[in-house]
Structure formats: structure tokens, C-alpha cells
Amino acid sequence: MKKGNLIIKNAAELVTCSGFKQKKGKEMSDLMVISDGAVVIENGIITKTGKTEDVIVGLKQADYHVIDASDKAVLPGFVDSHTHFIFGGYRPEEFSWRLRGDSYMDILKQGGGILNTVRATRKASPEELATAGKKRLDSMLSFGVTTVEGKSGYGLDLETELKQLTVMQELNDNHPIDIAQTFLGAHAILPEYKNREDRFIDFLIDDVLPEVVSNNLAEFCDVFCEKNVFSIEQSRRLLLKAKEAGLKLKFHADEMVQLGGAELAAELGALSADHLLQASDRGIKDMAKAGVVATLLPGTAFSLKEPYARGRTMIDNDCSVALATDLNPGSCFTESIPLIIALATLYMNLTAEEAITAMTINGAAALGRQETIGSIDHGKMGDLIVLEFPSYMYIPYHLGVNTVEKVIKNGMLVYEKSSSPDRSSV
Ligand code: IZC
Ligand code: ZN
């Protein structure tokens, strides 16, 4: 990917989210905003931040692409740290069944849901998956996402798991968004493994994990630990093997039923535990102590009409909370960052500041990338967004509407809203 030299100046708010590690509890409230701010990016890396008058003194502006961000807020690019964005087919009928009252887990039990997407993903060619994946990445980019996590898990066989991960790797090489790849072979139980779930875990450990690791196709391993899917014991067994093989751990934990997933994530030293709608008090304390990022996906609770995760309680207990979309064709089909932030503030009682921290530096921490992305700091990658409005507060306030005007990746302008009223500086 190309790397640029860029100055953004006169920002009404330069929302730095400054820091190189996860923010816990009260630390999440301070966005370290610089008014009338400027940032300099050289060769794709942030080299200077501060008040505009201090930053631009002595700089030869003709050597840079210059963006005047008067009356606009500038933020770090968003990090969407939990998605399933590579998949074949769609499941609109499942949405209509849920409107009628069927539950997500019942649909899966009857061979639909994830298993429906598994059938379509097995059938799809790599090119078809890549074309659909690129469209979704383009949409995410327009919402200000500059790094996304993507999971396998719609193959449940060696060939298709590798196909999904290989498609992501190619997209990573060819799309401005950086992709962090997760092996989620333990995503659902195929009918032929019903009541033989341990044999499926054996298959993943013996036949799939070694291929994923030796081909360098994933950085993380994840498990859908849930009643009628994989148990705590099965999850522990696979995740320990993945850790031994050098993968970092993420974990679908305590979504519908309280199984002790948050506690297991803490026990194993996972980078993140995700969903957590039913996380116990003990689990919340364990995550805070172990530094596991509690990754909350309120779009999924909204879409499934489930109770929201206890985000407020987690932050009050000194957890590090991240927010992500969970984009997938079943439980939450959205790329919308403003929807997630609106839900987090209005229904999980996060402040706007905490929600922005959760979408930036803590999203980066959920991917182990807190030292290189997620904030506007000297030495980090030049990944930024410019809003159409003068404050980050417009993100939750302008309910569900995309306020992103420009997206910068590695110092290059990679997206600009076509209807943007101010194009004079470009
Ligand atoms: O396709 O339904 N929860 N996995 C676990 C998902 C949602 C994705 C899907
Ligand atoms: Zn998920």
C-alpha cells in the first residue's frame, strides 16, 4: 500500500485518543482532545501533533498534501475488531423468521443459521467471496474503519476454512483497510458431528490448525462457546492448542447463556472476550484483572432483541471495553459504526467519550495493535478520519447517520464523501 505525506490543520477538535496501551475504567473517559489541532504524517507515519500554530511552524507545506479541517473533528480511524465479513449468500429469510418469534439458536439447531452460510460459502468461488468481501470493505471504509478483524468459520472443513482465510489475505494486500485474520473453525457443529463434538475439536486440532499456522493464515484463534455449540471444556482444549501453536486468543463468550466464558478468557490470557451479554460478576472482575479486552457488540443484542451487555458495570469495574459491529449475515448484518456507538451510549450507558475510546485505541488493543494504531500519536500509522461536523459528539448525536467525510490510511486520502460540501482543499 502507498504511504503519504500529509498535513491536516485547523481541526476544530483533534481527538487524539492518545496512548499506546488499552484504556481501562476511568481512563476511557479522556479523549485528549486538542482544539485547533494539526497532525503531520510523513511516509505514512504520524510525526507531529499539537496546536496548528505550533505544528506547522517551519514546515514546507508544498511538500505535503494539505487538508484544512476548519470546523471539523479529526479522529483516529476506527478499528472494527470483531466481524465475519467473508461469507457466501445471505439470510434475509432468517431475519423474517426472527421477526415472527423464532430464536437465533433454534434456527441454528434446525440446521439453518450459520450452517446455511456454511453451505453457501463452500459453494462460492474464491473470486466470488473476494468480490463480495471487497464491497463490504468499501462500505466499512466509508464509515471510517481503517483496520478490521475478519473470521473464518463458514467452512468447517479444511478446504473452505483455508479458502476464506486466503481470500482475506489477498484483500489485505489489495484494499486500503488492514485485515487482522482469525481462525474460527469451531463456529458450529455439522450434522455429521452431532453428539461427537469432541471428534470435531480433534479434527480442528490435528488437521486444520496446523495448516492455518504453517501457511501463516491467521493471527488469532476464536471459538463460539455457547450452549448447544462448543462447551467450556472443548473451547479450552482447542484454545490451548492454538496458543501453543503461536496464535493469540479471542473468544465468543457468554452470549446467550452464562457458561463462564469471561472467566475462561481470563484464565487463558485471551486478548479479548466478545459479546458477554450474560457475563457474571466474577467474570467481569477476572477480565479486569487479567487485562482481557471486553469486546461488546450491541448491534447483535439489538438485532436479536436480547438484553445488552453490562458495559457500564464493566467500565465501573475497571475493565477495558471495546466496541465492534459483529458484521455477519445472520445475527447482525451491519457495517454501521454510528449505529453501534448510538446503541452503546443510549442502551449500555457508555459516555460518548468511552464509546469513542472503545472504537479506537481499545479496538486496537483487542487486536494486540495498540502500539501501532488506534490513536493519533507520534510513531503510529497515519490512519485518520475527518468528520463533517466540529465535534466527536455528533457521532452518537446524529443518530445512525454516517458523519465521516474523509478517510486517510497511511497518510493517503482513500475515501471522500461525494456529497461533501467542502472540497476546496483537496
Ligand atoms: O453467521 O450467525 N454468532 N456466529 C456467532 C455468528 C453469530 C455469525 C452468524
Ligand atoms: Zn461473532
Side-chain angles (χ1 to χ4, degrees):
M1 284 288 136
K2 280 173 75 180
K3 301 190 188 312
N5 293 329
L6 174 77
I7 297 171
I8 301 184
K9 60 182 185 182
N10 304 325
E13 285 180 353
L14 185 71
V15 182
T16 66
C17 302
S18 181
F20 292 83
K21 50 187 180 77
Q22 58 171 241
K23 303 218 173 172
K24 297 182 111 184
K26 287 196 173 63
E27 293 168 358
M28 290 182 64
S29 306
D30 192 352
L31 295 177
M32 318 254 185
V33 177
I34 301 171
S35 59
D36 191 14
V39 51
V40 180
I41 300 170
E42 289 170 343
N43 205 13
I45 301 292
I46 297 169
T47 53
K48 229 173 167 186
T49 63
K51 288 264 182 206
T52 298
E53 54 179 15
D54 301 333
V55 166
I56 61 172
V57 59
L59 280 183
K60 205 167 140 208
Q61 293 194 36
D63 292 346
Y64 298 80
H65 181 84
V66 179
I67 293 174
D68 185 339
S70 301
D71 297 321
K72 323 238 174 214
V74 175
L75 289 87
F78 293 127
V79 180
D80 192 349
S81 66
H82 183 136
T83 85
H84 309 243
F85 81 95
I86 295 293
F87 54 85
Y90 288 95
R91 287 151 46 194
E93 66 293 342
E94 183 182 322
F95 188 82
S96 76
W97 299 335
R98 282 195 275 108
L99 294 180
R100 199 174 72 180
D102 298 359
S103 84
Y104 173 82
M105 291 308 289
D106 281 346
I107 294 167
L108 176 59
K109 233 199 233 158
Q110 286 152 21
I114 296 171
L115 294 173
N116 194 350
T117 302
V118 167
R119 288 185 284 274
T121 307
R122 285 179 175 183
K123 268 198 214 126
S125 68
E127 295 71 29
E128 286 165 339
L129 290 179
T131 303
K134 182 189 174 302
K135 276 195 192 142
R136 291 172 204 137
L137 287 173
D138 288 344
S139 170
M140 292 181 216
L141 189 69
S142 75
F143 282 109
V145 172
T146 47
T147 300
V148 71
E149 183 258 14
K151 302 176 196 294
S152 70
Y154 293 128
L156 313 183
D157 60 15
L158 176 64
E159 186 193 335
T160 317
E161 289 293 308
L162 297 185
K163 177 171 73 178
Q164 269 193 281
L165 291 167
T166 307
V167 165
M168 276 191 251
Q169 203 169 46
E170 284 164 13
L171 287 170
N172 184 45
D173 292 341
N174 293 302
H175 195 279
I177 296 186
D178 282 330
I179 302 170
Q181 303 192 189
T182 299
F183 170 53
L184 176 59
H187 190 197
I189 317 262
L190 293 161
E192 57 267 38
Y193 280 103
K194 188 106 193 76
N195 301 320
R196 298 195 306 129
E197 292 81 4
D198 283 308
R199 298 291 77 77
F200 184 65
I201 297 287
D202 293 340
F203 162 71
L204 292 177
I205 290 173
D206 297 339
D207 295 356
V208 191
L209 181 64
E211 289 292 321
V212 168
V213 172
S214 65
N215 289 296
N216 221 349
L217 284 171
E219 204 180 331
F220 311 101
C221 183
D222 191 346
V223 176
F224 186 20
C225 177
E226 186 56 60
K227 184 170 172 226
N228 295 325
V229 194
F230 296 100
S231 68
I232 286 282
E233 268 319 309
Q234 288 157 349
S235 304
R236 182 187 281 112
R237 194 153 71 87
L238 174 58
L239 289 171
L240 278 172
K241 288 287 178 194
K243 194 173 174 182
E244 260 173 50
L247 299 187
K248 291 170 238 169
L249 309 182
K250 302 180 76 65
F251 195 34
H252 283 67
D254 298 325
E255 181 180 355
M256 314 288 179
V257 176
Q258 190 179 96
L259 295 181
E263 290 88 333
L264 181 63
E267 174 195 320
L268 298 178
L271 266 183
S272 73
D274 302 35
H275 285 294
L276 300 169
L277 277 55
Q278 304 293 341
S280 70
D281 291 344
R282 171 88 267 141
I284 291 174
K285 292 204 167 75
D286 287 0
M287 287 191 295
K289 194 152 168 240
V292 175
V293 178
T295 300
L296 308 184
L297 314 167
T300 310
F302 178 59
S303 176
L304 297 182
K305 300 207 261 186
E306 294 283 339
Y308 291 86
R310 294 188 287 154
R312 181 75 264 140
T313 308
M314 291 177 194
I315 295 175
D316 291 344
N317 278 276
D318 215 26
C319 275
S320 178
V321 167
L323 288 168
T325 60
D326 195 19
L327 168 68
N328 75 76
S331 59
C332 189
F333 184 37
T334 187
E335 302 93 338
S336 176
I337 300 294
L339 172 65
I340 301 305
I341 289 181
L343 294 173
T345 50
L346 292 168
Y347 292 104
M348 296 197 310
N349 297 323
L350 271 64
T351 64
E353 292 76 17
E354 288 165 341
I356 301 293
T357 299
M359 263 333 312
T360 53
I361 183 68
N362 281 0
L367 299 178
R369 298 191 181 190
Q370 64 280 1
E371 287 172 20
T372 51
I373 57 171
S375 70
I376 305 181
D377 276 308
H378 186 167
K380 286 209 177 182
M381 289 165 67
D383 297 355
L384 308 174
I385 59 183
V386 181
L387 299 189
E388 292 173 301
F389 290 99
S391 171
Y392 64 83
M393 195 56 76
Y394 283 75
I395 301 174
Y397 162 55
H398 202 8
L399 272 182
V401 175
N402 189 8
T403 57
V404 173
E405 179 181 288
K406 294 181 175 69
V407 181
I408 287 116
K409 177 76 194 161
N410 295 319
M412 304 288 297
L413 181 65
V414 288
Y415 167 82
E416 182 162 33
K417 197 179 252 186
S418 53
S419 61
S420 168
D422 175 18
R423 300 174 61 87
S424 55
S425 58
V426 180

